[in-house]
Amino acid sequence: MKLKQIVQATMAMTALMAVGTQVQAAEVEVLHYWTSGGEAKSVAELKKMMEAKGVAWKDFAVAGGGGENAMTALKARVIAGSAPTAAQIKGPSIQEWGKEGVLANIDAAALEGKWDANLPKVVSNIMKYQGHYVAAPVNVHRVNWLWVNPDVLKKAGAKTPGNWEEFFDAADKIKKAGMIAIAHGGQPWQDATVFESVALGVGGADFYKKAIVQLDPASLTGPTMIKTFDTLAKIKTYIDKDAAGRDWNLATAMVINGKAGMQFMGDWAKGEFTAAGKVAGKDFLCLSAPGTDKAFTFNIDSLTMFKVKDEQQKSQLTLASAVMSPEFQEVFNLNKGSIPARAGVSRAKFDSCAIKSMDDMEATSKSGGLVPSFAHGMAIDSAKAGAIQDVIAKFMNSSMTSQAAVQALAKAAKAK
Ligand code: GAL
């Protein structure tokens, strides 16, 4: 069932139901999927901050990277007439929920905290529905990273890869040395994460925008997209046979402990390195995925606010203000691997990967290289994103040709 139908059915049902499971006043219930080591540490900071403000934290954590399970749980709760206070919903999906009339207006918090002045437009636009704030941004994750264990490179006699040729050369050497070249978890959202970095690295930001954001049929089926799938097919040959279903953080752990050499993943992976006590630039390297150093795929986490009873509105606004506070944005993102979404947060405590991310975001926002992550729900609506993700997963798990994949991709891009 589509979101629209679900919500319509829900509204009808809720009208008939007594609202039994609502949270108490001075309590917030927050749905998220931050359950890995680094993520749990990050979210614990928000809980602590809310409790210090006298607001109880009701955790609604649903495991499953990329959030698919969490979104299913959210829909079920909305159907049951008991939406949480806030949920980690991102990008165009915020508009989809906004259209259903279930989101809360948090302009009061935004006005008080001068959000318009403190957020880049690319962030604030996403947080608003029809000109009003309905979501609070938590961070900016960069997706087009390659995480590398330098010891593995050294053992294999490989050099740090700066382009596709060097990347495959390093992968060959790591494989020959008896280690796993590419740590990967065979889950559709992880496949899509690798795919978008490959598309960006093979075709550049303009191609990415035309093909993946604007869904231009000629770009979706043209030679650059064929080359993208050819490259993906080659990458497949460096992934170990146990990858199916593996969680992303377990793949990151393989890089951390030297079982594998490299992983394509957004910088929530850095949260795992940090939680394991590893140091950026020494124990691990954060490289832009091959061919993507002039681009930045952004993924902005945000807590989207649902309509709550009058007595809970105060706690909801407290949550929104806490999320946007410089104190929270600093401590959360130090743990999460991401960078603050707002201006006015000191860079002092951030590591070299985060500083690179901050600088690159600024530079690419001027050069046109700043692009929304498709794999993380920032680029296109959820129906199309889901259909495209299915094609990529099928390609990763079968002997589908690149030619067949691009045709399927163009068809999926029309999904409604
Ligand atoms: C992303 C999300 C991150 C992280 C990751 C793994 O979509 O933005 O915050 O949770 O998935 O689940």
Side-chain angles (χ1 to χ4, degrees), residues 147-153 255-258 260-262 283-285:
W147 303 94
V148 176
N149 183 321
D151 281 346
V152 172
L153 287 186
V255 180
I256 294 176
N257 63 32
M262 311 184 272
D283 304 318
F284 68 95
L285 310 176

Side-chain angles (χ1 to χ4, degrees), residues 167-169 171-176 179-184 194 229-243 262 264 395-399:
F167 170 80
F168 284 117
D169 183 63
D172 273 334
K173 290 188 168 132
I174 297 169
K175 202 172 167 182
K176 277 201 191 98
M179 292 169 286
I180 296 162
I182 301 171
H184 182 66
V194 180
F229 278 103
D230 288 348
T231 308
L232 208 55
K234 200 164 169 195
I235 286 174
K236 273 203 299 192
T237 65
Y238 296 98
I239 295 170
D240 69 303
K241 60 173 187 5
D242 298 327
M262 311 184 272
F264 290 96
F395 181 83
M396 290 297 280
N397 292 298
S398 69
S399 53

Side-chain angles (χ1 to χ4, degrees), residues 12-292:
M13 275 172 70
T14 1
L16 300 169
M17 279 170 62
V19 189
T21 44
Q22 291 285 356
V23 291
Q24 299 302 308
E27 177 178 89
V28 288
E29 184 181 25
V30 182
L31 169 73
H32 62 89
Y33 43 96
W34 294 322
T35 55
S36 77
E39 292 176 328
K41 275 181 94 170
S42 316
V43 81
E45 294 293 343
L46 186 54
K47 178 178 183 219
K48 218 166 48 185
M49 211 168 258
M50 291 305 288
E51 285 173 352
K53 291 177 194 297
V55 179
W57 176 272
K58 195 168 171 196
D59 204 39
F60 185 3
V62 181
E68 208 177 321
N69 299 344
M71 289 309 108
T72 307
L74 176 64
K75 284 171 194 164
R77 279 290 298 273
V78 176
I79 285 175
S82 62
T85 317
Q88 140 86 328
I89 302 175
K90 304 179 289 183
S93 281
I94 297 176
Q95 304 304 310
E96 292 172 26
W97 283 103
K99 274 186 205 135
E100 306 307 331
V102 292
L103 299 186
N105 179 328
I106 53 166
D107 280 345
L111 216 63
E112 201 197 337
K114 301 193 174 61
W115 292 14
D116 274 343
N118 283 313
L119 290 173
K121 266 236 149 11
V122 67
V123 179
S124 60
N125 284 345
I126 299 170
M127 302 304 136
K128 291 178 186 176
Y129 176 67
Q130 292 183 339
H132 299 285
Y133 279 98
V134 292
V138 167
N139 61 10
V140 179
H141 271 303
R142 184 185 198 173
V143 183
N144 59 315
W145 288 113
L146 181 71
W147 303 94
V148 176
N149 183 321
D151 281 346
V152 172
L153 287 186
K154 209 167 147 204
K155 272 190 206 145
K159 69 175 223 190
T160 308
N163 55 38
W164 283 113
E165 208 188 317
E166 290 168 6
F167 170 80
F168 284 117
D169 183 63
D172 273 334
K173 290 188 168 132
I174 297 169
K175 202 172 167 182
K176 277 201 191 98
M179 292 169 286
I180 296 162
I182 301 171
H184 182 66
Q187 296 175 347
W189 75 271
Q190 293 187 61
D191 296 338
T193 300
V194 180
F195 165 85
E196 75 173 26
S197 282
V198 174
L200 185 65
V202 166
D206 287 343
F207 165 74
Y208 180 98
K209 280 188 234 171
K210 258 192 124 177
I212 293 174
V213 183
Q214 292 151 23
L215 303 175
D216 164 52
S219 308
L220 283 170
T221 53
T224 310
M225 193 55 90
I226 301 258
K227 201 170 162 202
T228 297
F229 278 103
D230 288 348
T231 308
L232 208 55
K234 200 164 169 195
I235 286 174
K236 273 203 299 192
T237 65
Y238 296 98
I239 295 170
D240 69 303
K241 60 173 187 5
D242 298 327
R246 178 188 287 141
D247 287 330
W248 67 271
N249 51 318
L250 300 182
T252 307
M254 290 161 65
V255 180
I256 294 176
N257 63 32
K259 217 175 147 194
M262 311 184 272
Q263 182 188 18
F264 290 96
M265 189 48 67
D267 44 22
W268 44 95
K270 200 189 73 189
E272 299 305 295
F273 285 98
T274 310
K278 303 293 180 191
V279 176
K282 180 176 153 271
D283 304 318
F284 68 95
L285 310 176
C286 50
L287 309 178
S288 33
T292 71

Side-chain angles (χ1 to χ4, degrees), residues 330-374:
E330 179 183 70
V331 70
F332 183 88
N333 290 308
L334 283 171
N335 285 298
K336 188 77 166 71
S338 36
I339 59 173
R342 60 163 294 158
V345 181
S346 161
R347 288 180 164 209
K349 291 188 187 147
F350 285 91
D351 65 17
S352 53
C353 300
I355 300 293
K356 182 170 161 50
S357 190
M358 291 172 194
D359 288 345
D360 287 355
M361 185 174 172
E362 211 186 314
T364 55
S365 71
K366 289 176 189 140
S367 69
L370 186 63
V371 296
S373 164
F374 135 76

